[in-house]
């Protein structure tokens, strides 16, 4: 079912799901609730994307314009504290994606001297299409020393195998990996930042921010309703991406199925993240003809080389052998496809007179061993674009299926 | 005159103003021009803010939602090259603020092997309210060794005096100062980033990026038409800011006047920038009552303490002596006021489990010696908020008056 379907916008009466310190339904509609609150009857809120469903929102949801992605280290050894935090996160996520605060701003439970249960910077802002998507990294199952940290090592999916080294990668370990991740996407960055910050606040003592990335412009379309955006090389990107409307392809390439691996991941998806710095100053000095040969598309129209329209099928054998479009095309990769969901980023400058800018690549898939890994190896070894790329961060996360309702929480299929 | 006035949206036929490598009017309206081009008769473009005028746009212009700010070092010793770049920048800025590309994407002047004169990532995007505002730092006039670099030392305004040290500042020199700055504001960050990147590209060999900052949410209103936004402390900020509609106050506090200093700055304004990291995790653990006492406002409504409505005048003597609102109020500063134009930022995380987030403060004024400096000294010494703030960057720039038309360029009053 399509994430945007109005029929999915059901009531999210999650308040009270084992939530300590998160205000319940009583706070809804109060003077401090941001935007129009979802009413008691569960009517839809303008601009809100349903939080519950068979799959997590934020995957096939048409890509919002802004990203705040965060990876956490779990700093507790206490499984119960971790599970309690996941329940608290779920309740807060249900509230925030519906355009509400994470918890009460004012006096909580008659304790006027308590810190507010919402940080406040999104008060008055609409839901802005916020989605929050959670994922579990390999290190949550077993740490670097091989210890089964939370009694879930046996449930680690084979598809969550450690990724190989890709030629050309210069990874910063502090910017890679993570035990947990949350992808916050919204059309207003303040709403995405607010959500991540409040989850970090709720997780105090249980998790610690490992790395975090803001993205300012989506680089892929995930729906036929969206125009194809441009990446920082100035080219249309994601023209041939999987689209939410392609239900059969989404089933085949995105969602883990029964029998694929452990049952708890059925309906989930595997996320690969990759921060790729682009050497844009060098790219900007290269001739247009060279840029187009490297990409395999025309810069202006976005059409495959030799074609006139963006959406024409490329004539793969006629493209330069080391062109990006040819190397990542399913025909060059045993039919492997992914749902890409990346964002442009600029992180200021690098102290050498250059902008520190590039692509924060994200791709969802059914099994990275058959999708991301072979495509990336093909690209790392041969793509002419590599001359202008410097991959600095890599992450892999198992994103569980969606939350079904008030008694469910992020990761219940794994922990319960 | 108001920057938004339709009557100001005149033709900007700047093409050919000493522009080497920037395509002229012939490229306008071509298949690659982004958005609707300004027509030959000079009719307004939807969503475009006029580039020409007595004052630079981007100062009293109602604050757009997104920022890309960049400070440059000038790396040439050649005054003529610097002036030529300022002319090229002016022409490109006029094009980009009108929703066009910085120059031709395709073959330029019959040279198919030349790099494109626009990087392409904003193709197809509307003008998005883009404004580009230039400023000159103290070091442009005289370098650290005291040398008159470009024959303009005698024209350095007294108001562009080096700023004093402010208690509590822990400035990173690499993130402070700069010979030139450009403030790019837009409602689409991709448009702001595109503009800065193309100016950097045009300036290759003349300037080098010193530091650069993205901001994702404005923290001040500069017009009565705008709702007051919230900063990352979750409080409404800039309620009492100068507003574009307050013409007399703007004249008194923002624009340099004849007799204030060197004639070339008449109609210009002085910009102070300040990157202030907020220790949000500590703030988030402090009680609501304490937060409100520190700020001097109620968190929910934004009203001054003891008042019900955001726009009520605070009863200054009744506020806590070390509250922020009291310390920065004109009554506490000999009537000094500034036009604040800051943005929230998140630069990822700090490696210690915390988000690297805060405020990129920008304030425009007639004379920093009488406005920013005394207010900041007052605040640095006494404001209880300092416990949660870590100022890491400081900049001061003289922003010249606006560009009047095709024969004018950024800095002509200084260099011609």
């Amino acid at each position: 079912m399509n994430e945007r379907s109005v029929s999915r916008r059901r009531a999210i009466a999650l308040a009270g799901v084992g939530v300590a310190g998160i205000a319940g339904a009583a706070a809804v509609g109060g003077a401090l609730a941001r935007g129009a609150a979802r009413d008691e009857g569960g009517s839809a809120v303008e601009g809100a994307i349903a939080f519950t469903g068979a799959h997590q929102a934020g995957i096939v949801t048409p890509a919002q314009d802004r990203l705040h992605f965060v990876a956490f280290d779990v700093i507790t050894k206490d499984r119960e504290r971790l599970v309690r935090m996941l329940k608290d996160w779920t309740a807060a996520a249900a509230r925030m994606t519906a355009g509400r605060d994470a918890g009460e701003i004012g006096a909580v439970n008659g304790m006027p001297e308590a810190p507010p249960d919402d940080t406040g910077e999104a008060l008055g802002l609409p839901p802005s299409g916020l989605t929050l998507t959670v994922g579990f990294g390999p290190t949550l199952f077993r740490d670097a020393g091989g210890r089964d940290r939370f009694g879930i090592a046996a449930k680690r999916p084979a598809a969550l195998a450690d990724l190989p080294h890709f030629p050309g990668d210069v990874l910063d370990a502090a910017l890679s990996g993570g035990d947990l991740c949350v992808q916050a996407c919204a059309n207003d960055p303040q709403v995405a930042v607010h959500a991540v910050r409040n989850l970090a606040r709720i997780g105090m003592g249980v998790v610690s921010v490992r790395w975090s990335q803001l993205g300012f412009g989506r680089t892929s379309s995930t729906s036929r309703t969206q125009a194809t955006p441009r990446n920082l090389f100035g080219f249309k990107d994601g023209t041939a991406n999987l689209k939410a409307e392609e239900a059969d392809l989404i089933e085949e390439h995105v969602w883990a199925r029964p029998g694929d691996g452990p049952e708890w991941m059925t309906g989930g998806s595997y996320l690969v993240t990759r921060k790729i710095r682009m050497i844009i100053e060098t790219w900007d000095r290269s001739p247009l003809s060279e840029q187009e040969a490297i990409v395999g598309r025309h810069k202006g129209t976005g059409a495959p080389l030799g074609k006139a329209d963006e959406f024409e099928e490329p004539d793969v054998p006629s493209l330069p052998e080391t062109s990006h479009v040819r190397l990542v095309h399913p025909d060059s990769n045993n039919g492997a496809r992914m749902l890409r969901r990346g964002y442009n980023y600029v992180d200021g400058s690098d102290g050498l007179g250059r902008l520190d800018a590039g692509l924060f690549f994200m791709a969802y898939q059914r099994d990275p061993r058959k999708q991301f890994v072979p495509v990336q190896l093909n690209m790392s070894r041969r793509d002419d674009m590599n001359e202008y790329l410097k991959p600095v961060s890599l992450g892999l996360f198992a994103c569980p299926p969606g939350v079904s309702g008030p008694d469910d929480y992020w990761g219940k299929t794994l922990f319960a």
Side-chain angles (χ1 to χ4, degrees), chain A:
Chain A
M1 198 193 302
N2 186 321
E3 295 291 325
R4 296 165 69 226
S5 156
V6 173
S7 67
R8 282 203 50 198
R9 295 185 176 175
R10 310 189 262 112
I12 307 165
L14 274 163
V17 189
V19 179
I22 305 286
V28 178
L32 297 173
R34 68 180 167 94
R38 184 173 295 266
D39 66 25
E40 301 284 302
S43 296
V45 178
E46 184 76 23
I49 291 171
F51 178 68
T52 53
H55 309 295
Q56 288 195 72
I59 300 175
V60 298
T61 306
Q64 302 93 323
D65 272 352
R66 314 284 176 251
L67 167 78
H68 191 183
F69 188 93
V70 61
F72 293 99
D73 291 324
V74 177
I75 56 174
T76 185
K77 292 178 178 174
D78 182 342
R79 176 185 163 120
E80 286 317 306
R81 282 193 74 185
L82 173 61
V83 170
R84 202 180 321 128
M85 183 200 73
L86 289 169
K87 291 176 177 173
D88 292 350
W89 272 10
T90 307
R95 291 177 63 94
M96 293 190 289
T97 53
R100 307 215 297 266
D101 41 21
E104 257 182 306
I105 284 284
V108 180
N109 304 325
M111 286 153 46
E113 292 308 310
D117 271 332
D118 182 279
T119 55
E121 72 270 23
L123 287 175
L125 300 179
S128 308
L130 175 68
T131 55
L132 293 166
T133 312
V134 77
F136 304 132
T139 50
L140 187 70
F141 297 84
R142 212 182 271 282
D143 67 15
R147 263 173 309 179
D148 182 359
R149 302 169 69 188
F150 301 108
I152 53 174
K155 294 186 175 175
R156 177 173 168 176
L160 198 70
D162 293 324
L163 296 171
H165 171 76
F166 299 105
D169 279 12
V170 282
L171 302 182
D172 179 344
L175 287 182
S176 297
D179 297 329
L180 295 174
C181 77
V182 176
Q183 169 199 284
C185 294
N187 293 315
D188 183 335
Q190 183 114 345
V191 169
V193 164
H194 168 264
V196 165
R197 177 202 187 161
N198 277 274
L199 295 180
R201 183 184 54 73
I202 291 167
M204 214 172 278
V206 182
V207 292
S208 172
V209 173
R210 182 180 174 85
W211 54 274
S212 150
Q213 183 66 50
L214 256 67
F216 65 79
R218 67 181 170 87
T219 60
S220 296
S221 302
T222 58
S223 165
R224 288 186 184 141
T225 61
Q226 300 186 300
T228 311
R230 288 177 185 270
N231 62 24
L232 290 184
F233 285 150
F235 278 79
K236 291 203 177 198
D237 202 350
T239 298
N241 199 21
L242 289 176
K243 303 285 197 296
E245 293 81 0
E246 299 168 330
D248 291 351
L249 292 173
I250 295 288
E251 283 301 324
E252 185 182 342
H253 296 289
V254 177
W255 306 125
R257 298 193 203 183
D260 276 359
E263 188 55 28
W264 71 267
M265 266 298 285
T266 298
S269 189
Y270 295 89
L271 168 64
V272 173
T273 66
R274 202 165 155 74
K275 182 172 180 175
I276 306 167
R277 176 148 179 216
M278 292 171 160
I279 314 302
I280 58 174
E281 290 79 5
T282 312
W283 179 262
D284 289 348
R285 282 193 293 254
S286 67
L288 178 63
S289 54
E290 188 178 318
Q291 293 182 6
E292 294 186 334
I294 289 169
V295 174
R297 289 187 180 276
H298 294 292
K299 193 162 195 174
T301 58
L305 285 187
K307 307 284 180 177
D309 180 79
E310 180 196 340
F311 293 98
E312 284 187 76
E313 261 302 305
D315 181 17
V316 174
S318 81
L319 293 174
E321 275 193 33
T322 53
S323 69
H324 185 69
V325 165
R326 178 162 176 174
L327 286 170
V328 303
H329 195 276
D331 290 358
S332 309
N333 294 282
N334 295 317
R337 302 187 66 175
M338 296 173 272
L339 182 87
R340 278 172 291 146
R341 221 178 188 284
Y343 287 82
N344 296 322
Y345 76 84
V346 174
D347 287 351
S349 55
D350 68 355
L352 299 171
R354 298 178 302 200
L355 292 175
D356 184 356
L359 167 67
F360 187 71
F361 170 95
M362 296 192 288
Y364 287 92
Q365 56 216 288
R366 189 173 156 197
D367 189 338
R369 295 170 298 174
K370 298 175 187 163
Q371 294 164 280
F372 174 76
V373 172
V375 174
Q376 184 60 44
L377 282 173
N378 201 18
M379 192 188 146
S380 293
R381 287 172 182 149
R382 303 173 63 202
D383 197 326
D384 278 341
M385 197 182 278
N386 292 326
E387 187 182 337
Y388 304 93
L389 302 178
K390 185 182 165 192
V392 295
S393 154
L394 186 62
L396 172 65
F397 302 93
C399 302
V403 167
S404 61
D407 296 326
D408 199 2
Y409 63 88
W410 276 344
K412 188 178 183 185
T413 57
L414 174 60
F415 286 100

